[in-house]
Amino acid sequence: MEPVPVQSFYPSFFLQFAFGFFPQIYQRKWGRIFTALGVFTFLRLPYLSGLPMVGSYQLVGLFFGAILGIWSREVILVLLGRNETSLPKQSEQILTDWMIRNPTGKSIQPIWYSTYFGFVLFLFILTVLCFFQYQGLGLVTGLGIQEYLYFPSLSSREAMGLSCKILVPTSFVILYLFSEERSMPTPSKDSLSEQIRFGIFLGLGINLLVMTIQSLWSLDFFSEGTLESVRAGRSTGLLQDSGSASWILPVLSLLWITKLITNWRKSKERFSLVLAIFSFLYVTWLGLKQGKAFWVVWTISNAIGIIHITTDLWIISITKKRITRVVLYLLIPVLGFLTLYGLSFLQKDWGLVELSRRTMTAFPVWKSDPYLALKRMDLVRAELLTICMEGIKNNLWLGNGIGSFPLAMLDPFRIGSKTSSELIDFPPNSYLWLVHDLGIFGAVVFLFYIGVFLWERGLWKQASLLLIPLFFGVQFQNSDGAFLCFYLILLGEKGTGYSQSFDKFRKTIWFSPLLLILSVGLPLNYALFYSQRFWDFGIGSEYRKTQLKEYQTAVTLPPRPPNYEYEFHGKVWEWKLSEFGSARSGRIFLETTNKSPVVELLFLNSDRTTIKQELFSEVGQGYVWSGECPKGATYIRLKSRSKLEFRLPRSGFDGNNRIQF
């Protein structure tokens, strides 16, 4: 959806594709490890390779390669008769080893009974709704998909690209995890969750190394594409920006330290304990160049972890242990406030010190004016919260469309609060994003699938890791955050294991069909109600005329100085004809260097029925047609056999964007 330079896009795309595809072809285990490693190291590769911006195409190559590699491997194995014949002879050792590395599954459920099926269907429906919302019904006017000016300075392609920033990472991550589980032998000796976690830990190690270099040497080291992070004095590693690093770094580090503590408690091996303590101190030091989200996640999680470990080691009685934990939990906010109060007096340029100062200025007015306190804590998030609440009130039940919040901030016709920041961001946290974009109904559907996954895998405790991070921004908007969130929700420590209660219901006759009906019915009903708002958008050149008060030009790039020419890309275009008789006869000149075997002009009546068809003539610098519009013509449609990129002067359209000759 986002137009990017081809010469810059393809090198990073094919490198990501190879990193995901070939390990998957070789073996499941290494495919999972390389994919997880690539998620936390390749994110800004498109920007580093020369792209002017980082958009929804961040890790498209990696996930596309991994998904295609998974299904190619499984199809080839089936075509070779893996399920029907014995292994090849010893003389075919390479093929034999490959089949041994990728054993077949013993049993697998129908695809429509998978818990992923409904989720994938819902995301597909959201994509279709997103397409109609930003592209209108223009696709019914021809084989090509027209472009429009969704706003006077923003094309429909760019508008949908803003939504794709969150839709693409979410969809690709879900589809990837779905593909991994569908191709995994059941039961399996190798754990999908453990192998992905191993790749995640490798990515964490590389990011820790890069963050160390950035902290000790220069923040400019591998920092291209991190927007305001360097200017804010924050290290990002190879993650998207300091916003991502501030919650991904503590969460991944907590998983790593938890793994070391678990190994120590099982084996009593002191090396694991020493490494855990060193990791805690090391990450705490790196946190000095992180945002305030890091300190909230890091301090609260570590405080809870230390309370659990110490009470487990020193208190035997279960009753005393629970009472002691509750008392210590109540002390955490008090100790935290005292710590922030002391740090507020330090003269250091650290994120934690800045958080302490803001907290002290916000605390006195917290009871009397909570919004003022929030503004003193974080002005940008307070403004985002106001804009978000205004959007929620406008479309409470069905939402404004997935990824619509950045577009609302750019909407020149929106009536409401504005932001003082130049950054185009998402709502302050993921829960507000759900209600703003999907409404109450859509949020219920989304959380329904999450609840089914948690119930199926028995991961209620594991999901608690996401409670704190999801209060700090929309973590699904970047591929690294989406991958980590859905890995924790959908896999966690238990991988694909079922909970006993879910497995008990699964064996009944009625449970799976009922779950299927809900998984399909809920998103279809959401789509049915949501699509009602599209009927007044119009099609073709009338798309969004009611909202913009003018006809559409189907233009890709709006006119810019010094020539003030519209630039059109594609194969099919439609324009509304001017109503003035003097403007309905004359000459149309398409300035282009492209070549097409046929360029034709169709005259349509008010019902969009063709009443006359003529051809353009090729001239030195493009194509030309001259003549007069037939009686009854309301629209004209231009069709090219091959893709064209041509220009028309701004004077070719009247004040309402109707074409004139």
Side-chain angles (χ1 to χ4, degrees), residues 130-145:
C130 183
F131 177 82
F132 281 116
Q133 181 165 345
Y134 299 121
Q135 296 288 345
L137 299 176
L139 78 166
V140 301
T141 63
L143 297 178
I145 298 175

Side-chain angles (χ1 to χ4, degrees), residues 579-598:
E579 297 176 355
F580 300 103
S582 60
R584 294 169 65 91
S585 62
R587 175 175 175 267
I588 301 178
F589 174 62
L590 310 179
E591 181 186 350
T592 179
T593 57
N594 299 131
K595 299 296 181 182
S596 177
V598 176

Side-chain angles (χ1 to χ4, degrees), residues 28-76:
R28 289 190 186 93
K29 174 183 177 181
W30 288 108
R32 297 163 182 169
I33 292 173
F34 272 71
T35 301
L37 172 62
V39 166
F40 296 100
T41 54
F42 279 15
L43 191 70
R44 285 187 287 110
L45 183 63
Y47 194 97
L48 294 171
S49 64
L51 289 183
M53 59 183 176
V54 177
S56 58
Y57 46 78
Q58 293 169 330
L59 289 177
V60 169
L62 179 69
F63 285 120
F64 183 68
I67 294 169
L68 185 61
I70 291 171
W71 291 109
S72 298
R73 180 190 65 224
E74 297 305 308
V75 169
I76 293 173

Side-chain angles (χ1 to χ4, degrees), residues 40 193 196-198 200-201 204 247-263 276 279 298 301-302 462 465-466 484-485 487-488 492-493:
F40 296 100
S193 180
I196 290 180
R197 187 164 63 248
F198 181 72
I200 290 175
F201 286 157
L204 172 63
W247 78 269
I248 291 179
L249 174 62
V251 170
L252 291 185
S253 300
L254 286 169
L255 291 178
W256 169 247
I257 293 174
T258 301
K259 182 72 173 178
L260 294 174
I261 294 295
T262 302
N263 293 341
S279 299
W298 189 241
S301 301
N302 276 288
Q462 184 75 13
L465 290 172
L466 296 175
L484 180 56
C485 286
Y487 163 76
L488 293 175
E493 297 291 335

Side-chain angles (χ1 to χ4, degrees), residues 269-524:
E269 184 183 4
R270 291 186 177 180
F271 176 76
S272 296
L273 178 61
V274 173
L275 186 56
I277 296 174
F278 172 78
S279 299
F280 168 77
L281 297 174
Y282 181 49
V283 175
T284 302
W285 170 71
L286 288 177
L288 296 176
K289 289 189 178 296
Q290 297 298 324
K292 54 184 174 294
F294 171 89
W295 294 105
V296 175
V297 177
W298 189 241
T299 53
I300 294 178
S301 301
N302 276 288
I304 295 175
I306 292 172
I307 290 173
H308 272 256
I309 293 174
T310 53
T311 51
D312 280 340
L313 293 176
W314 297 338
I315 301 176
I316 299 176
S317 172
I318 297 178
T319 303
K320 291 182 179 179
K321 185 185 299 184
R322 290 175 178 174
I323 295 174
T324 304
R325 285 178 177 176
V326 172
V327 173
L328 292 175
Y329 289 156
L330 296 176
L331 289 176
I332 291 178
V334 178
L335 294 175
F337 177 80
L338 294 175
T339 302
L340 292 175
Y341 179 74
L343 290 173
S344 64
F345 293 100
L346 293 180
Q347 300 299 319
K348 296 289 186 180
D349 188 19
W350 296 342
L352 182 59
V353 174
E354 180 64 23
L355 174 62
S356 304
R357 293 170 183 165
R358 292 184 181 182
T359 303
M360 293 304 107
T361 58
F363 185 75
V365 298
W366 186 260
K367 290 185 178 180
S368 60
D369 194 342
Y371 184 72
L372 177 59
L374 179 60
K375 289 179 69 174
R376 290 183 178 183
M377 285 286 295
D378 195 323
L379 176 60
V380 174
R381 278 185 170 83
E383 293 173 341
L384 293 176
L385 175 63
T386 303
I387 296 173
C388 182
M389 296 307 297
E390 292 172 352
I392 290 174
K393 291 178 182 178
N394 291 334
N395 296 284
L396 177 61
W397 291 102
L398 296 175
N400 300 280
I402 189 167
S404 60
F405 188 81
L407 194 66
M409 298 181 68
L410 293 172
D411 188 353
F413 307 106
R414 187 179 67 86
I415 300 175
S417 303
K418 306 293 182 181
T419 176
S420 58
S421 173
E422 296 180 356
L423 293 177
I424 303 301
D425 209 338
F426 284 86
N429 64 59
S430 298
Y431 307 107
L432 287 173
W433 163 76
L434 271 178
V435 181
H436 178 278
D437 285 15
L438 305 182
I440 293 178
F441 189 10
V444 168
V445 178
F446 190 91
L447 295 176
F448 165 75
Y449 295 122
I450 298 298
V452 171
F453 277 109
L454 294 175
W455 182 19
E456 180 187 35
R457 291 158 169 78
L459 292 175
W460 301 108
K461 294 182 179 179
Q462 184 75 13
S464 64
L465 290 172
L466 296 175
L467 293 180
I468 296 178
L470 290 183
F471 275 109
F472 295 90
V474 182
Q475 311 306 344
F476 311 119
Q477 64 179 289
N478 297 315
S479 298
D480 51 1
F483 185 85
L484 180 56
C485 286
F486 287 114
Y487 163 76
L488 293 175
I489 295 176
L490 308 185
L491 294 179
E493 297 291 335
K494 296 184 180 181
T496 54
Y498 296 132
S499 64
Q500 293 182 355
S501 61
F502 191 90
D503 198 31
K504 177 182 177 181
F505 282 107
R506 185 189 289 275
K507 295 177 181 178
T508 61
I509 298 177
W510 56 269
F511 181 74
S512 293
L514 176 62
L515 197 60
L516 176 62
I517 292 173
L518 290 174
S519 298
V520 174
L522 287 174
L524 287 179

Side-chain angles (χ1 to χ4, degrees), residues 3-45:
V4 296
V6 173
Q7 65 273 16
S8 300
F9 174 76
Y10 281 117
S12 61
F13 175 84
F14 285 124
L15 179 58
Q16 291 181 10
F17 181 87
F19 203 80
F21 180 80
F22 292 109
Q24 289 286 1
I25 288 290
Y26 176 73
Q27 187 183 13
R28 289 190 186 93
K29 174 183 177 181
W30 288 108
R32 297 163 182 169
I33 292 173
F34 272 71
T35 301
L37 172 62
V39 166
F40 296 100
T41 54
F42 279 15
L43 191 70
R44 285 187 287 110
L45 183 63

